[in-house]
Amino acid sequence: MKKSKKIFLLIGVLFVVATLIVGYDISRKTSFPGSKKYLKESIAPSDDEADTTKTNKENEKIADQ
């Protein structure tokens, strides 16, 4: 085997190992999007929107408290 071919194979192996290390590091710091719980801010109604489903009795109970 020629010296240039050995150097090429060595560089190729180092590149593959470096790529695997970087991929593993990135995968440890991220999570699958489907595994995340919803944030309270994304599911809670905002103050700007009025809830039109409340009845008058519910509104009175809230006002009395």
Side-chain angles (χ1 to χ4, degrees), residues 5-58:
K5 191 171 186 177
K6 288 181 184 179
I7 292 173
F8 176 77
L9 287 175
L10 178 66
I11 292 173
V13 169
L14 290 176
F15 176 77
V16 170
V17 169
T19 303
L20 291 173
I21 291 171
V22 169
Y24 177 74
D25 184 49
I26 290 172
S27 69
R28 297 274 304 169
K29 294 179 182 178
T30 59
S31 62
F32 179 68
S35 68
K36 291 184 178 179
K37 301 290 182 190
Y38 289 107
L39 297 174
K40 290 181 181 180
E41 295 85 18
S42 65
I43 60 173
S46 65
D47 294 336
D48 298 336
E49 299 174 10
D51 188 6
T52 58
T53 59
K54 288 184 179 179
T55 62
N56 287 338
K57 289 182 181 179
E58 289 176 312

